[in-house]
Amino acid sequence: MIAEEKLKILTNSAKYDVSCSSSGSGRRNAGGIGNGMPDGCCHSFTPDGRCVSLLKLLMSNDCVFDCKYCMSRRSCDVPRATATPEEICELTVDFYKRNYIEGLFLSSAVHISPDHTMELLVRTVRLLRTKYRFFGYVHVKGIPKADPLLVTEAAKYADRMSYNLELPSEKSLKLLAPQKSRESLLLPMKQLQRERAVFRAEKRKGSFLPAGQTTQMIVGASPERDGQILRLTQSLYRANGLRRVYYSSYSPVVEDSLLPAVQSPALREHRLYQADWLLRFYGFDVEELVPEDENLPLDVDPKCAWALRNLHLFPVEVNRAPLEMLLRVPGIGGRSAQKIIAARRYTALTFEHLKKMRVVLRRARHFITASGKFYGEKNELAVRGLLTAGEHAERAQQLSLFDTAALSARTGEL
Amino acid sequence: MIYFFDGSKDAFLTAFLCAFRDEDAYLTTGSRQLSLGQQSVFVPADRKRARRCAQRLTSFDGRCMHDLDMLLRSGEAERGQTAFCYFRLLADRKRPVRGEFAEDAVRQASECIRRVGLEVHRLKGFVRFMECESGALYAPIAPDHDVSDLLLPHFRARLPNIPFVIHDVRRSKAAVWDGEHTFTAPLARAEIALSADEAGWQTLWRQYYASVNIPSRERLKQMKGYMPVRYWKFMPENPSAVVDAFTAPPASRAGSQDGAPRPHGSAQ
């Protein structure tokens, strides 16, 4: 059994990695323990509101790299630990058996050298699949600059692999993660994409990354704008076939003169994810969402912002609008759109119906008509005001003429 | 008229036949206060009539018996009536009505089914097994809806070599995989002898759970939305868990829990 202290150190260093999803793989059980659940499964939720799906662990946090933003970097004084492949396999199987986790998320600091680290990861997943006969979900993080053959070997056993782009531009990467280069991250990504395509085309036995690849970027540690980030995201989805791009709000865990000292706002991360969803599930193109050198607006969500810029397309009639258009109405998501499409086959829907079907109308009512009726505001300014009012309600404070005076009276200065 | 039935599928279908033409029919499984002048009848299951009824309804909608199964699993007091209204509409229209969300009956039934399905989905994640001395696994649950046997195929597929028992302590029944068959059986109280390592793994799990949390980003409301407090009782990582309180010696628990986060406002 792995020592408690070691587990603590290796988890603590892995917890800032955002990716925790266990979806996308339907790996079958072939006489051992575990299988894949294509929809994914959350096993617990921590007080920070995130789900625990995978056992997220570093193989080692003893790093030879010196990336400025990372708490495991070489020049940082933190307790170091390295686990053995057996310890990790045992932990995974015993946690899985008790239904604590859906699988393993294995990452590592660059321990001794990239090749040595990658070899250690490969050895662990191979052991897990062959000796421990584990068929649950395994996500392996790729180590930049490792031998391509080791990468291929890891992909044979893993369900998903990921190389973290870390920062949205080459320039920032050079500045903050001097030992990594854009090349060292994109090349293995493309290698895996190529090999996976070949594997699929030849319909070979076994599996090769059934859940594909993902990546992650830190937002707010470098000056890139949302427009630039989302353009990169879109090209990763379209050209590199990635399944997910994760964004992680920068939080200052280590001090460095090159890094901002403040936590990047969570709302910005949230807006990026909203835009990311619009790209993947709502048929939007990044050009429609935000210009390259701008950020997404914080006061309204990206779909609302798009709709407000395109008011000439609205209102749409819910009983006639095609699915693609319904999906573009602020406040109507995939499930509501499907419900509307199903229900309108039988009867002309009214606002009363929509409300009962739990379609959220707070935003949508400004952009739709139901059986010809319209209950929203036509004027753009009024709509914008109403939409942002809801978002601000908690933070907003009535300005008062007397605030400053009262304050100076208390502090004694006039 | 109020029609009482015992909650089984056959009894529901028999009661459905009796109540079909009754405008003020109310179908229920539980006790119910009768208002003045209201009449009631207890409808026992009649297998023959029930089968005929099921055949007729299935000819209108091939998937409707699955809907009924899910509706009757619900723990909500209104489930009999919800199912009755849904099936009366189906019998009226003589064709599938599942997409007609503009109808109250369809919406209520589909939401009820969704809630039952949601609990199955949640429990696939929230069930917590404990290892017994024999190597078999035991998990107590107390679900809102009667779903313990719906969990069997899921866990059987992933743990084919390990026998396990999922014990619904609220309904005193157990869903069992004995390595060859799955079945359900009544079970009031289980006497469990845990394996030597069990306490150690639970301690490691609590340590992991505490370490993977980022304390500076506390979002308890979101946490409780995804993982309602009523499930915490049998999950060892949560501060209000009682998992080992009734199976393991209490001493193993006291020291191990210090590292675990204790959200405010949670039941201790």
Side-chain angles (χ1 to χ4, degrees), chain B residues 39-60:
Chain B
Q39 286 182 310
S40 71
V41 59
F42 177 83
V43 187
D46 179 337
R47 279 189 75 176
K48 251 191 190 158
R49 292 184 69 196
R51 224 175 61 200
R52 233 177 37 233
C53 178
Q55 270 171 2
R56 186 101 170 102
L57 288 170
T58 307
S59 74
F60 301 147

Side-chain angles (χ1 to χ4, degrees), chain A residues 10 58 69 86-87 91 100 104 156 197 241 245 286 296 336:
Chain A
L10 295 175
L58 294 197
Y69 50 82
E86 281 79 12
E87 279 173 332
L91 186 66
Y100 296 163
L104 175 66
K156 279 187 204 158
V245 174
V286 68
L296 291 165
S336 291

Side-chain angles (χ1 to χ4, degrees), chain B residues 21-267:
Chain B
R21 304 237 171 264
D22 182 351
E23 282 291 307
D24 307 313
Y26 188 90
L27 266 68
T28 183
T29 51
S31 57
R32 188 183 156 86
Q33 180 87 52
L34 298 180
S35 53
L36 201 64
Q38 209 163 22
Q39 286 182 310
S40 71
V41 59
F42 177 83
V43 187
D46 179 337
R47 279 189 75 176
K48 251 191 190 158
R49 292 184 69 196
R51 224 175 61 200
R52 233 177 37 233
C53 178
Q55 270 171 2
R56 186 101 170 102
L57 288 170
T58 307
S59 74
F60 301 147
D61 177 353
R63 289 182 0 225
C64 74
M65 282 303 120
H66 175 256
D67 292 342
L68 179 59
D69 179 60
M70 292 294 269
L71 285 166
L72 292 178
R73 284 171 185 280
S74 164
E76 293 154 26
E78 302 282 304
R79 65 180 181 277
Q81 186 64 5
T82 305
F84 177 64
C85 294
Y86 176 67
F87 280 90
R88 186 158 60 181
L89 190 71
L90 176 65
D92 272 345
R93 301 273 164 89
K94 297 188 168 41
R95 58 172 167 76
V97 292
R98 67 185 66 247
E100 297 190 41
F101 295 110
E103 293 285 349
D104 287 348
V106 176
R107 213 178 43 250
Q108 273 155 15
S110 95
E111 277 172 15
C112 183
I113 292 172
R114 196 181 58 84
R115 281 191 291 269
V116 177
L118 176 65
E119 183 157 61
V120 176
H121 176 78
R122 276 181 168 153
L123 282 172
K124 282 179 187 169
F126 297 162
V127 161
R128 292 287 179 269
F129 286 111
M130 291 177 269
E131 192 183 49
C132 309
E133 267 177 344
S134 64
L137 299 171
Y138 169 80
I141 55 172
D144 294 339
H145 312 298
D146 187 6
V147 293
S148 53
D149 55 312
L150 293 182
L151 295 167
L152 281 173
H154 172 78
F155 287 107
R156 180 199 155 154
R158 54 174 51 189
L159 305 169
N161 304 323
I162 310 175
F164 61 80
V165 176
I166 298 172
H167 186 188
D168 183 344
V169 293
R170 181 181 279 184
R171 292 170 187 78
S172 294
K173 64 187 266 192
V176 184
W177 163 244
D178 65 3
E180 286 172 17
H181 308 281
T182 53
F183 57 90
T184 55
L187 178 66
R189 199 180 149 70
E191 298 290 332
I192 305 292
L194 294 182
S195 71
D197 290 343
E198 179 58 29
W201 288 114
Q202 285 194 14
T203 307
L204 277 181
W205 171 237
R206 280 191 208 102
Q207 177 64 61
Y208 174 74
Y209 181 79
S211 310
V212 82
N213 180 41
I214 301 177
S216 59
R217 299 188 197 157
E218 192 177 83
R219 288 198 189 93
L220 285 178
K221 205 178 151 198
Q222 192 171 356
M223 172 204 190
K224 288 178 184 171
Y226 288 128
M227 183 172 70
V229 179
R230 62 179 180 277
Y231 295 106
W232 291 17
K233 202 170 148 194
F234 299 115
M235 302 169 79
E237 67 268 32
N238 286 312
S240 60
V242 296
V243 187
D244 37 14
F246 74 100
T247 45
S252 68
R253 181 176 165 76
S256 64
Q257 220 206 355
D258 292 339
R262 290 160 197 269
H264 318 296
S266 62

Side-chain angles (χ1 to χ4, degrees), chain A residues 311-317 364-369 374 378:
Chain A
L311 273 182
H312 59 279
L313 300 173
F314 296 104
V316 294
E317 168 60 47
R365 70 190 170 100
H366 305 293
F367 303 96
I368 53 171
T369 57
F374 180 68
K378 278 220 171 80

